[in-house]
Amino acid sequence: MEIVGKLQNQFMEFMRSLYREGFLDDQFLQLQKLQDESNPDFVVEVVSLFFDDSEKLLNNLAMALQQQVVDFKQVDAHVHQFKGSSSSIGAQRVKNACVAFRNFCEEKNLEGCVQCLQHAKHEYFLVKNKLETLFRLEQQILAAGGTVPVLS
Amino acid sequence: METFASSASSLSISSEPHVLAVDDNLVDRKLVEKLLKKSSCKVTTAEDGLRALEYLGLGAHHDSSTNSNGSKVNMIITDYCMPGMTGYELLKKIKESSIMKDVPVVIVSSENIPTRINQCMEEGAQIFMLKPLKHSDVERLRCQITQC
């Protein structure tokens, strides 16, 4: 099964790079451990929820920061949500971007907040792209008749 | 990850403990539900304190003749930071109720704030845990409530 072997190696190498480059942290591994035969699409489902939730939050944040009078408490509430869900799925770089963002909210620093939003958005789309690639690789392995390797 | 426990409660549960999980974050609700199911718990989720109280039969329009699920619930896990009613406020309401006051309430939070933790423990929380929860955290919780 040479093709399966190659795909599996590609998958493992890609996963390792995601951890190495800080896109994902241990929490993502925890999610993978929760997936089993009773719920074989668990990770994809949770991550999809994260994608939907995040895009709403990013839109809300953009709108909140465009108001004539910015409600920093509201902005902070959105960032808190974003930090929470990114932390829960192991999206480390997004989470870290949110931490910095919250500091600027506390200082009521509009320019800082606007920059943080850009940064958080950038990190979000990066990790989204990475995860979509990961899921595609999984599908390719399964389609080729193989099993998806689990990193420990 | 740190945990803070108060005295263990002495409840005996037969098969699957029924846990009510409260969190306003959709991703976290899905995660806690899976964690609990993986630890052989029956799970009901609520997105805020009001809905949790309604489910338990402690809602504002509480009528003793309406269906209440309070007696079926063996543990409540709630997020601390929620809009409207915080996890702490929910904890207080539960501890004030005659039917629910002995049910263990677990508070979870993404923030490690000692004053917050003390406040919850003083109000009778079973344990305070940091998010994100892991499988081992939930296994430990389950053992606590089923005394395994």
Side-chain angles (χ1 to χ4, degrees):
Chain A
M1 288 262 99
E2 214 200 303
I3 292 182
V4 169
K6 263 190 172 158
L7 287 169
Q8 286 172 331
N9 283 336
Q10 215 181 329
F11 176 84
M12 298 230 283
E13 195 36 60
F14 188 64
M15 273 284 278
R16 283 193 202 108
S17 75
L18 294 181
Y19 285 106
R20 205 172 45 234
E21 290 162 28
F23 286 105
L24 297 177
D25 61 27
D26 182 66
Q27 183 59 21
F28 189 78
L29 198 57
Q30 293 293 320
L31 286 190
Q32 290 179 309
K33 283 185 179 170
L34 286 176
Q35 187 161 282
D36 54 30
E37 311 79 48
S38 73
N39 200 177
D41 298 316
F42 175 68
V43 179
V44 172
E45 285 170 8
V46 179
V47 172
S48 300
L49 280 177
F50 169 69
F51 288 163
D52 291 340
D53 200 47
S54 299
E55 281 163 46
K56 279 193 200 114
L57 284 168
L58 286 168
N59 284 334
N60 289 340
L61 280 165
M63 282 206 303
L65 289 173
Q66 277 160 22
Q67 298 304 304
Q68 282 268 44
V69 180
V70 174
D71 181 352
F72 285 99
K73 268 201 161 160
Q74 182 62 265
V75 175
D76 184 65
H78 291 314
V79 181
H80 176 79
Q81 285 288 314
F82 198 19
K83 175 173 164 265
S85 45
S86 55
S87 167
S88 292
I89 67 139
Q92 191 177 241
R93 281 160 62 152
V94 177
K95 179 190 75 176
N96 291 339
C98 289
V99 172
F101 200 156
R102 291 196 84 189
N103 290 333
F104 284 115
C105 287
E106 220 172 313
E107 292 169 21
K108 297 202 199 314
N109 182 331
L110 181 57
E111 201 178 304
C113 282
V114 170
Q115 283 186 2
C116 276
L117 176 57
Q118 288 322 304
H119 182 51
K121 207 172 162 178
H122 175 73
E123 288 298 341
Y124 166 72
F125 282 108
L126 275 178
V127 80
K128 181 176 183 189
N129 194 278
K130 298 281 184 187
L131 287 169
E132 284 174 338
T133 301
L134 191 72
F135 295 147
R136 254 199 312 277
L137 277 169
E138 281 187 350
Q139 287 308 307
Q140 285 177 312
I141 293 170
L142 294 172
T147 52
V148 179
V150 178
L151 265 153
S152 52
Chain B
M1 205 276 326
E2 295 164 86
T3 61
F4 304 85
S6 67
S7 58
S9 59
S10 47
L11 294 164
S12 53
I13 321 293
S14 44
S15 49
E16 288 193 338
H18 185 172
V19 182
L20 173 65
V22 192
D23 199 315
D24 61 311
N25 187 301
L26 187 52
V27 172
D28 287 344
R29 266 204 310 283
K30 174 116 181 152
L31 188 54
V32 78
E33 182 185 46
K34 181 67 184 176
L35 281 166
L36 288 165
K37 283 185 171 162
K38 191 98 178 172
S39 287
S40 312
C41 294
K42 190 163 167 267
V43 192
T44 300
T45 60
E47 59 186 75
D48 57 42
L50 277 179
R51 284 175 171 82
L53 290 173
E54 286 293 329
Y55 181 80
L56 295 169
L58 303 176
H61 307 291
H62 169 57
D63 172 2
S64 54
S65 66
T66 57
N67 261 334
S68 140
N69 301 286
S71 53
K72 298 191 253 161
V73 170
N74 305 120
M75 182 169 76
I76 295 151
I77 293 184
T78 177
D79 190 22
Y80 181 95
C81 273
M82 295 188 293
M85 189 187 300
T86 64
Y88 172 69
E89 286 157 354
L90 176 60
L91 165 69
K92 282 214 303 198
K93 290 248 176 344
I94 290 166
K95 291 301 169 189
E96 279 163 18
S97 106
S98 47
I99 25 157
M100 296 301 299
K101 65 178 166 60
D102 292 323
V103 175
V105 181
V106 175
I107 310 279
V108 295
S109 175
S110 53
E111 292 161 313
N112 187 352
I113 300 171
T115 48
R116 175 182 292 186
I117 297 167
N118 289 333
Q119 184 195 44
C120 292
M121 297 314 292
E122 270 164 34
E123 199 58 44
Q126 173 83 2
I127 198 169
F128 185 104
M129 297 183 118
L130 287 179
K131 275 171 139 177
L133 291 179
K134 293 177 162 48
H135 180 57
S136 52
D137 296 331
V138 177
E139 279 286 287
R140 192 174 335 143
L141 273 182
R142 192 195 190 284
C143 273
Q144 280 208 1
I145 54 159
T146 58
Q147 316 257 284
C148 64

